[in-house]
Amino acid sequence: MARKSAFLLLSALLSVLAPVDALWPQPRSITTGSSALRLSGGFDIVIGSVRNPPSDLHQAVDRTSGFLKNDKLERLVVGRGDVDRAAVAKAKTLSRLTLSLGKGATARSIAAEAQKAVEERDEGYVLDVPADGSGATLTANSTLGLFRGLTTFSQLWYQSGSTTYTIEAPIHIEDSPAFPYRGYMLDTARNFFPVSDIKRAIDAMSWVKINQFHWHIVDSQSFPLQVPGFLELSQKGAYSSSMVYTPQDVKDIVSYAGARGIDVLVEIDTPGHTSVISKSHPEHIACAEATPWASFANEPPAGQLRLTSDATAKFTSDLLVAVSKLFPSTMLSTGGDEINASCYAQDAETQAALNATGQTFLQALNSFTQKTHGALKKAGKTPVVWEEMVLDFNVTLSPETIALVWISSQNVKGVAQKGHKLVHAASDFFYLDCGGGGWVGANPNGNSWCDPFKTWQKAYTFDPVANLTVDEAKLVLGGQHLLWTEQSGPSNLDPISWPRAASSAELFWTGPGLNVTSVLPRLHDLSFRFQQRGVHTIPLQPLWCALRPGACDLTA
Amino acid sequence: MARKSAFLLLSALLSVLAPVDALWPQPRSITTGSSALRLSGGFDIVIGSVRNPPSDLHQAVDRTSGFLKNDKLERLVVGRGDVDRAAVAKAKTLSRLTLSLGKGATARSIAAEAQKAVEERDEGYVLDVPADGSGATLTANSTLGLFRGLTTFSQLWYQSGSTTYTIEAPIHIEDSPAFPYRGYMLDTARNFFPVSDIKRAIDAMSWVKINQFHWHIVDSQSFPLQVPGFLELSQKGAYSSSMVYTPQDVKDIVSYAGARGIDVLVEIDTPGHTSVISKSHPEHIACAEATPWASFANEPPAGQLRLTSDATAKFTSDLLVAVSKLFPSTMLSTGGDEINASCYAQDAETQAALNATGQTFLQALNSFTQKTHGALKKAGKTPVVWEEMVLDFNVTLSPETIALVWISSQNVKGVAQKGHKLVHAASDFFYLDCGGGGWVGANPNGNSWCDPFKTWQKAYTFDPVANLTVDEAKLVLGGQHLLWTEQSGPSNLDPISWPRAASSAELFWTGPGLNVTSVLPRLHDLSFRFQQRGVHTIPLQPLWCALRPGACDLTA
C-alpha cells in the first residue's frame, strides 16, 4: 500500500491546487497549469501507433468526439461561460489528441481487456495536454487504458459560447485505479428494467470508470433471464413474456458494457432467493410460497432450492453452467445470502433426506456448494458469494472465491481474517435503496430496514481498509453501490443512483483520503454533464449553491 | 363532523366490499355490484342538460375519452387482463355517459368554479353506471363537480385485450370532499422547473382531485417570476434569462390548472427568504448574502426585507399587488416563515430605524405586515401565512388569514386556538424532501434535518383533527404534501412526489379513518395508471406483490 499512499498524498495536495477541473474520479496524479487552451474547429482524435485498432476503440473515439461537441458544460460559476469568454478568445488551439499503445502492447478489444480477471485488467494511462497547442497525447499499455484516458480527456473541457476550452493547460495526468474492482449492482428481479435502461446505467458507470456491472438478474419474485436449455424458468417465472432478457439481449448488454470498459458479473442467487423456480420445477423448491412468509424467508415469496436433493444439485449446477456460457466474465455469483434454516426445517423432503444421510443442514449446504461451485469452476468461472457463505455457514470455499460484504461493514474484518478476497457492498454505506420507506405491506409508518438514507458523503468517507492488517488490506478488491429494486423501476433508476453512486466510483479509483468537503463542485460538474448526456441525476444543492463553490457549506 | 363520520364508516365498510376498483381517492359513498359491463366501441360522453357548456368542460370530456382509450390498465392480479377475458366477452355494453347540471345551476367554466374561495367550491357529484347497459349518468351542481365525476369515471375501467370493462356494475357514487383544501406545494426557486414539468405535476394533481397548487415560486436563491413593473427582480435574480416564468407562462399554467379543477395559490415569501431581491434592490434587503450565513439565516443566502423602511414596505406592498394581478385565486401567501431576528439585529439601518421610533423588532414586523396585508386585502386577496406569523411573532392578522402549519403537527392546536383557519403542511408528515440526505456542503454524512423519510403510510394515517375541539376542527381547511427542491429538479419531480402525494389527496378528500393496510392495491392501480399517462411514479413494491394483494403484507 506504500505506493498508493504516496499517490493519495499527491492527489490530496493537487485537489487543492486544481479547483476548476471537472474530472470524476480525480486522477491519481495530475499536474495542471493556468493557461487557456481551446479545441480547434477541426479538432481530431487520432489513433496513432496502434496496430489493427479494434472496432470498439474506434467507437470510443467517436463517442468521445461526440461528448466534446455536445456536453457544452459551462463552468459552474456566477456568470457561467461568459466569465471565461475574454480569456479564451485568443487562447492557443489544440487540434489533435493522438492515442498510442506502449511498445509491445497488443491491441485487443476494450471488451476483451475489460473482461479479464479483475486483477489483471490494465486500466492505467498517461495523458498530456501541452499548453502550446502542439498535439495532446494519450498512451497506455492496453486499449482499456486508452479508453479510461479518453473518458478523462472528455471531462477536461468547458464551453463558452461556441468555444470548448480549458483554463488549466498544460495538463499532465498519470492515472490508474487504486482498487481493481469498482462496481454497481442492479436488481432486475423485484422490478423489471428494459434493456435501454440498463444501457443507460452502463453509460453512466463508464463515465466514472466503474468497471464491474454486478447484475442481480433473477430472484424469488421473477426470473427474467432466458437460459438456453432452461427456457421454462423464464416462461413460467418472468413477470410477462415481454419482461425477459433473451440471450441476444444479454449479448447486446455484455457487448455494450465491454466496449465501455465494463465486465458483467451475473448473479444466480442460490440456494435461497429461488422461489420462482417452483413455477416450472416445484420438485426443486422447498417451502415454495409458504405462508406466513416471515416463517420461511426474509422477504416474500418464500422458497429455496432443496439442497439435499442430488437432482436439485445437478439442476442447479447445469443451470449455472448454462448461464456462465452467456457471460464472458471470469466471475459468476452464486449468491448464498439469507438462507433460511427454518424453511428447510419445515420441508418434509429435506428433513427426510437429512435424516437418511445423517447430515446436518450445514453439512448439506456445504455438500451442495461443493457440487455447484465444482461445476462452475470446471466451466472456468471464479465463484462470487455473499458474506454469509464465508462467515455464517462454515462452507468450504476454494481460496479464489470472492466475498461480497453486505450486511454490515463491521463484517469486513471477519471475511478478511478468513483469507477471502472481498468487495465492499455494505448496506450501512452503499445501499442506494435505504431510507426510502419500507415496502412490506400492512406496516403503517414503516421505514426501511436500513434507515437512514445513505448519503453520497457517507459512501465517500468510507475507509476500505479500516481495521485491517496490511495483509488483510490486500484482499480488498474494491467496492460498489447497490440498488435493490423493491421500490425502484425505470422511473427512478437515474435519480436514486446518480450522482450518489459516483462517490464509490471515485473512492475506489482514486483511493480514500480525499477531502469530502472540497469535492462537491466536481460532483456538481458531473451531475450537469450526466444530465446533458441523458442521465437524469438529481441536483445535490440549489443552483445558487452550485454556482458558488463553498458558499453553502455548513460554516461558510 | 357527524355527517363526515357517517360517511367514513360507510366508506370503510365499502372499501372491503369493493376490492377491485381502481379509484383514488375513494369516493365518500359508493355501492357496487358484481356484473361485468364493457364500453361499446362507439362509447361516447355527452354533455346533456348543460346550457352553453364552457370550453374547458368540452376539453375535460375529450381528455376523459382519451384516458378511456389509452389507459389500458390491466387488473393487477396474476394473469392480468386474461383473467377476466371470458367474463367480459359477453358482458352488456355501455354506450353513453350523459353529464347534467342540477336545476338552476349555471354552467360557468371549470376554472372559474375552481378559483372560487376555497370553501365555496362545489366539487360534489353523483355518478350512476347501471348494469343493464342503459346510459350512465353524471350529475352535479357545478362544472367543477362534473369534472370530479369525470375523473372518477375514468378510473372505473380495466382493460382485457381490446375490451374496456368493469366487473362491478352497477355502480352508484355520491361524492364530495371531506375537506375543501387539498393541495400540493412545489418550490421553483431552489431549483428551476420548466413549464412542462409544472403542467405534468398539475395533471397528476388533478387525477387525484387535488384542488390547490401552492406555488412557492421565488425565494432567496432565485426570482424566476417576471412581474410587470418589477422586471428587474427576475432580470437580476433569475438563474438565467431562460429560467423565468413570463406573465404568459403564468397565465398558461393558471389556465391549465383551472381547467383541471385546480386553483393556484402563489407565494411571495416575506420578509424572510428574500435575499435575491438585493440583486436589483440592495436598499430593501438587510444582511444580503452576509456570512457566516448561519448567523443571519436558516439557509444560505442570508437576506431579509428591511421591515422598518417605509420605502421597503411600499415596495413590498406594490410587488404583492402586482403579483396578485397575475393570479385569479382569492388567496395569496405572504409567507412569513423563518424570519431571522439576528439578521435585523446586525443591520445598522434597521437598528437605527428601530431606535429612532422606539419600536421593537416584533412591533416593526407587525407594522410591516399591516401595510402589506392591507394592500393585499385592498387588492381583494385573502392572506395566507406560515405558522410563525400566528404563533411566534404576535402579529395582528385579520381573522380570515389562513395559516400553513409546517414546523410540526404539534403546532396545529396552537394555531387553532388562535382561531385561524389552517392547512396541514407539517414537516413531520407531509414533506416529500425529508430523508434524502442533507444538502448543506462540508457536512460529512449529514442527513436531512427532518429525517426520516415520510412514507405514504405516515401521511395517510395522519389525523387532521387530532387533539382539536369540535369548533377547532372546523378551522381545518385540509392539507397538502410539499416539495422543497434543494435536491430536486425535473429529474426526480415525479418519483419523489408520486404516488406518495396521493396519500394526502385521499386523506383530505375521503377523510381520515380508511384502513391503511387495505388501500395498497388501489395505490398500485394509481401508480400504473399514472405511468401510462406519462407521470413517472415509483413502484411501491415488487411487481410480484402488486399482482398478489396482501401477499407481501407484514404478517401474510
Side-chain angles (χ1 to χ4, degrees):
Chain A
M1 290 293 182
R3 178 166 146 273
K4 188 182 297 175
S5 298
F7 269 117
L8 288 181
L9 183 60
L10 186 61
S11 298
L13 282 169
L14 288 167
S15 70
V16 175
L17 295 174
V20 302
D21 61 50
L23 301 178
W24 195 282
Q26 180 79 0
R28 297 277 294 288
S29 162
I30 177 171
T31 59
T32 57
S34 55
S35 296
L37 179 69
R38 58 198 167 102
L39 297 185
S40 72
F43 175 79
D44 199 15
I45 302 175
V46 178
I47 300 178
S49 64
V50 180
R51 283 182 61 182
N52 301 320
S55 60
D56 61 6
L57 183 60
H58 281 293
Q59 290 155 13
V61 165
D62 290 346
R63 283 200 309 279
T64 306
S65 297
F67 294 146
L68 293 172
K69 282 193 181 65
N70 301 321
D71 276 0
K72 297 185 191 306
L73 177 62
E74 294 184 74
R75 265 215 298 145
L76 288 168
V77 293
V78 177
R80 306 298 298 272
D82 287 346
V83 168
D84 296 328
R85 191 177 292 262
V88 302
K90 289 175 284 182
K92 290 200 168 62
T93 58
L94 181 70
S95 59
R96 180 171 296 193
L97 168 67
T98 303
L99 276 51
S100 311
L101 279 185
K103 277 183 189 169
T106 312
R108 301 175 75 212
S109 70
I110 296 170
E113 297 286 348
Q115 289 156 3
K116 284 182 174 174
V118 68
E119 290 170 288
E120 290 169 19
R121 299 174 200 166
D122 188 343
E123 304 185 81
Y125 65 93
V126 177
L127 178 61
D128 257 304
V129 182
D132 63 3
S134 61
T137 59
L138 170 60
T139 59
N141 287 319
S142 76
T143 54
L144 180 59
L146 290 177
F147 175 66
R148 298 296 178 224
L150 283 170
T151 301
T152 301
F153 187 81
S154 81
Q155 297 173 355
L156 291 175
W157 311 95
Y158 290 106
Q159 186 89 5
S160 173
S162 60
T163 304
T164 306
Y165 69 97
T166 174
I167 53 175
E168 296 193 300
I171 300 169
H172 177 74
I173 293 173
E174 297 184 21
D175 203 11
S176 65
F179 293 91
Y181 184 116
R182 306 169 310 280
Y184 173 92
M185 193 215 77
L186 180 66
D187 160 18
T188 58
R190 270 53 175 240
N191 281 302
F192 181 80
F193 293 78
V195 170
S196 60
D197 292 295
I198 295 177
K199 286 186 172 177
R200 196 174 67 258
I202 287 169
D203 280 325
M205 292 178 222
S206 77
W207 301 334
V208 292
K209 302 190 173 80
I210 286 175
N211 70 350
Q212 201 67 51
F213 170 37
H214 176 190
W215 193 356
H216 185 88
I217 194 167
V218 298
D219 205 296
S220 274
Q221 289 80 5
S222 74
F223 201 104
L225 178 62
Q226 282 188 357
V227 185
F230 294 83
L231 293 178
E232 69 279 10
L233 289 170
S234 51
Q235 273 161 4
K236 301 279 190 178
Y239 279 138
S240 78
S241 58
S242 64
M243 294 164 99
V244 293
Y245 304 110
T246 66
Q248 187 54 45
D249 289 335
V250 170
K251 194 171 176 181
D252 186 19
I253 286 170
V254 165
S255 157
Y256 194 89
R260 285 155 183 80
I262 297 168
D263 180 46
V264 182
L265 164 58
V266 70
E267 174 163 309
I268 305 293
D269 205 345
T270 62
H273 289 275
T274 47
S275 176
V276 71
I277 292 176
S278 70
K279 302 285 186 196
S280 50
H281 293 278
E283 70 278 16
H284 293 317
I285 301 299
C287 59
E289 302 193 12
T291 57
W293 59 263
S295 299
F296 299 88
N298 284 31
E299 71 176 56
Q304 301 183 157
L305 288 164
R306 285 198 165 104
L307 37 63
T308 51
S309 157
D310 288 339
T312 300
K314 180 172 189 319
F315 165 84
T316 307
S317 299
D318 292 349
L319 174 63
L320 291 171
V321 169
V323 170
S324 77
K325 290 178 180 157
L326 298 173
F327 293 87
S329 178
T330 63
M331 302 177 285
L332 188 148
S333 171
T334 62
D337 57 318
E338 300 187 312
I339 304 172
N340 190 296
S342 172
C343 163
Y344 291 126
Q346 294 174 80
D347 182 55
E349 183 178 323
T350 300
Q351 288 307 306
L354 291 176
N355 289 337
T357 58
Q359 278 190 316
T360 65
F361 149 63
L362 289 180
Q363 287 168 328
L365 174 62
N366 190 38
S367 171
F368 178 83
T369 306
Q370 300 319 311
K371 291 173 192 165
T372 58
H373 279 201
L376 204 57
K377 282 181 274 186
K378 206 166 158 188
K381 301 292 186 185
T382 301
V384 177
V385 295
W386 295 104
E387 62 170 272
E388 294 101 309
M389 292 293 279
V390 174
L391 295 178
D392 298 349
F393 301 132
N394 201 29
V395 173
T396 304
L397 296 167
S398 58
E400 73 274 20
T401 306
I402 297 164
L404 300 156
V405 181
W406 72 277
I407 295 175
S408 167
S409 56
Q410 297 299 313
N411 298 343
V412 167
K413 179 79 176 175
V415 170
Q417 284 175 328
K418 294 237 179 180
H420 280 289
K421 291 179 183 172
L422 64 92
V423 171
H424 291 294
S427 60
D428 47 337
F429 284 85
F430 300 114
Y431 270 32
L432 295 164
D433 48 305
C434 292
W439 59 272
V440 173
N443 186 21
N445 299 352
N447 285 101
S448 77
W449 68 273
C450 52
D451 267 356
F453 181 86
K454 310 307 172 208
T455 64
W456 72 265
Q457 298 97 321
K458 176 91 176 164
Y460 196 82
T461 54
F462 178 76
D463 180 356
V465 297
N467 303 321
L468 301 184
T469 66
V470 171
D471 280 344
E472 288 166 355
K474 289 176 183 162
L475 297 168
V476 176
L477 292 177
Q480 61 184 21
H481 270 88
L482 308 91
L483 181 59
W484 301 103
T485 59
E486 283 89 352
Q487 299 199 315
S488 287
S491 62
N492 67 336
L493 175 61
D494 290 10
I496 203 171
S497 298
W498 306 106
R500 257 197 302 165
S503 61
S504 63
E506 176 154 299
L507 172 67
F508 293 108
W509 177 283
T510 315
L514 286 174
N515 185 352
V516 66
T517 67
S518 63
V519 298
L520 188 52
R522 281 193 296 113
L523 204 46
H524 284 310
D525 274 326
L526 175 148
S527 193
F528 279 79
R529 200 190 297 281
F530 270 36
Q531 286 275 358
Q532 183 64 13
R533 294 182 184 180
V535 171
H536 302 298
T537 61
I538 64 161
L540 288 175
Q541 290 191 317
L543 181 55
W544 191 90
C545 305
L547 298 180
R548 294 165 179 83
C552 294
D553 284 1
L554 191 59
T555 57
Chain B
M1 287 295 183
R3 178 167 146 273
K4 186 182 299 174
S5 298
F7 268 118
L8 288 181
L9 182 60
L10 187 62
S11 298
L13 282 170
L14 288 167
S15 70
V16 175
L17 295 175
V20 302
D21 62 49
L23 302 177
W24 195 283
Q26 180 78 358
R28 297 278 293 290
S29 162
I30 177 171
T31 59
T32 58
S34 55
S35 296
L37 180 70
R38 57 197 169 101
L39 297 185
S40 72
F43 175 80
D44 198 15
I45 302 176
V46 179
I47 299 178
S49 65
V50 179
R51 284 183 61 183
N52 302 319
S55 60
D56 60 7
L57 183 60
H58 281 293
Q59 291 155 13
V61 164
D62 290 346
R63 283 200 309 279
T64 305
S65 297
F67 293 145
L68 293 173
K69 283 195 179 65
N70 301 321
D71 276 0
K72 297 185 192 306
L73 177 63
E74 295 184 76
R75 265 216 296 146
L76 289 168
V77 293
V78 177
R80 307 298 300 270
D82 287 346
V83 168
D84 295 327
R85 192 177 292 261
V88 301
K90 290 175 283 183
K92 290 198 167 63
T93 58
L94 181 71
S95 59
R96 180 173 294 193
L97 169 69
T98 303
L99 275 52
S100 310
L101 278 185
K103 276 184 189 168
T106 313
R108 302 175 74 212
S109 70
I110 297 170
E113 297 287 348
Q115 289 156 3
K116 284 182 175 174
V118 68
E119 291 171 287
E120 290 168 19
R121 299 173 201 167
D122 187 343
E123 305 185 79
Y125 65 93
V126 176
L127 177 61
D128 256 303
V129 181
D132 62 4
S134 60
T137 59
L138 170 60
T139 59
N141 287 318
S142 77
T143 54
L144 180 58
L146 290 177
F147 175 66
R148 297 297 178 223
L150 283 170
T151 302
T152 301
F153 187 81
S154 81
Q155 297 174 353
L156 290 176
W157 311 95
Y158 289 106
Q159 186 89 6
S160 173
S162 59
T163 305
T164 306
Y165 69 97
T166 175
I167 52 175
E168 296 193 299
I171 299 169
H172 177 74
I173 294 173
E174 296 184 20
D175 203 10
S176 64
F179 293 90
Y181 183 117
R182 305 170 309 280
Y184 173 92
M185 193 215 77
L186 180 67
D187 159 18
T188 58
R190 270 54 174 239
N191 281 302
F192 180 80
F193 294 78
V195 171
S196 60
D197 292 295
I198 295 177
K199 285 186 172 178
R200 197 173 65 259
I202 287 170
D203 279 326
M205 292 178 223
S206 77
W207 300 334
V208 292
K209 301 191 174 80
I210 285 174
N211 70 349
Q212 200 68 49
F213 170 36
H214 176 189
W215 192 356
H216 185 88
I217 193 166
V218 299
D219 205 297
S220 275
Q221 289 82 3
S222 73
F223 201 104
L225 177 62
Q226 282 188 356
V227 185
F230 295 82
L231 293 178
E232 68 279 9
L233 290 171
S234 52
Q235 273 161 4
K236 301 279 189 176
Y239 279 137
S240 79
S241 58
S242 64
M243 294 164 99
V244 292
Y245 303 109
T246 67
Q248 186 55 45
D249 290 335
V250 169
K251 195 171 175 182
D252 186 18
I253 286 171
V254 165
S255 158
Y256 194 88
R260 285 155 182 80
I262 296 169
D263 181 45
V264 182
L265 163 59
V266 70
E267 175 163 309
I268 305 294
D269 205 344
T270 63
H273 290 275
T274 47
S275 177
V276 70
I277 292 175
S278 70
K279 303 285 186 196
S280 50
H281 293 278
E283 70 279 15
H284 293 317
I285 302 298
C287 60
E289 302 193 13
T291 57
W293 59 263
S295 300
F296 299 87
N298 284 33
E299 71 176 56
Q304 302 183 157
L305 288 163
R306 284 200 166 102
L307 38 64
T308 52
S309 156
D310 287 339
T312 300
K314 180 173 188 320
F315 165 85
T316 308
S317 299
D318 291 349
L319 173 62
L320 291 171
V321 169
V323 170
S324 77
K325 290 178 181 158
L326 298 173
F327 293 86
S329 177
T330 62
M331 302 177 284
L332 189 148
S333 171
T334 61
D337 57 318
E338 301 188 312
I339 304 171
N340 191 296
S342 171
C343 163
Y344 291 127
Q346 296 173 78
D347 183 54
E349 184 177 325
T350 300
Q351 287 307 306
L354 290 177
N355 290 337
T357 57
Q359 278 190 315
T360 65
F361 149 64
L362 288 181
Q363 288 169 326
L365 174 61
N366 190 36
S367 170
F368 177 84
T369 305
Q370 300 319 309
K371 291 174 193 164
T372 57
H373 279 199
L376 203 57
K377 282 180 275 185
K378 206 165 158 188
K381 301 292 187 185
T382 301
V384 176
V385 296
W386 294 105
E387 63 170 274
E388 295 100 308
M389 292 293 279
V390 174
L391 295 177
D392 298 349
F393 300 134
N394 201 28
V395 173
T396 304
L397 297 166
S398 58
E400 73 274 19
T401 306
I402 297 165
L404 299 156
V405 180
W406 72 277
I407 295 175
S408 166
S409 56
Q410 298 298 314
N411 298 343
V412 167
K413 179 78 176 177
V415 171
Q417 284 174 327
K418 294 240 179 177
H420 280 289
K421 291 179 183 172
L422 65 91
V423 170
H424 290 294
S427 60
D428 47 338
F429 284 85
F430 300 114
Y431 270 32
L432 295 164
D433 48 305
C434 292
W439 59 271
V440 172
N443 186 23
N445 299 353
N447 285 99
S448 77
W449 68 272
C450 53
D451 267 358
F453 181 86
K454 309 307 171 209
T455 65
W456 71 265
Q457 297 97 321
K458 177 89 176 165
Y460 197 82
T461 53
F462 178 75
D463 180 356
V465 296
N467 302 321
L468 301 184
T469 66
V470 171
D471 279 345
E472 287 166 357
K474 289 176 185 162
L475 297 168
V476 177
L477 292 176
Q480 62 184 20
H481 270 87
L482 307 91
L483 182 60
W484 301 102
T485 60
E486 283 88 352
Q487 298 200 315
S488 287
S491 62
N492 67 336
L493 176 61
D494 291 10
I496 204 172
S497 298
W498 306 106
R500 256 197 304 165
S503 61
S504 63
E506 175 154 298
L507 172 67
F508 292 109
W509 177 282
T510 316
L514 285 173
N515 185 351
V516 68
T517 67
S518 63
V519 299
L520 188 52
R522 281 193 295 113
L523 204 47
H524 283 311
D525 275 324
L526 176 149
S527 194
F528 279 78
R529 200 191 297 281
F530 270 36
Q531 287 273 0
Q532 183 64 13
R533 295 183 184 179
V535 171
H536 302 298
T537 61
I538 63 162
L540 289 176
Q541 291 191 318
L543 181 54
W544 191 90
C545 305
L547 298 181
R548 294 165 178 82
C552 294
D553 284 1
L554 190 58
T555 56

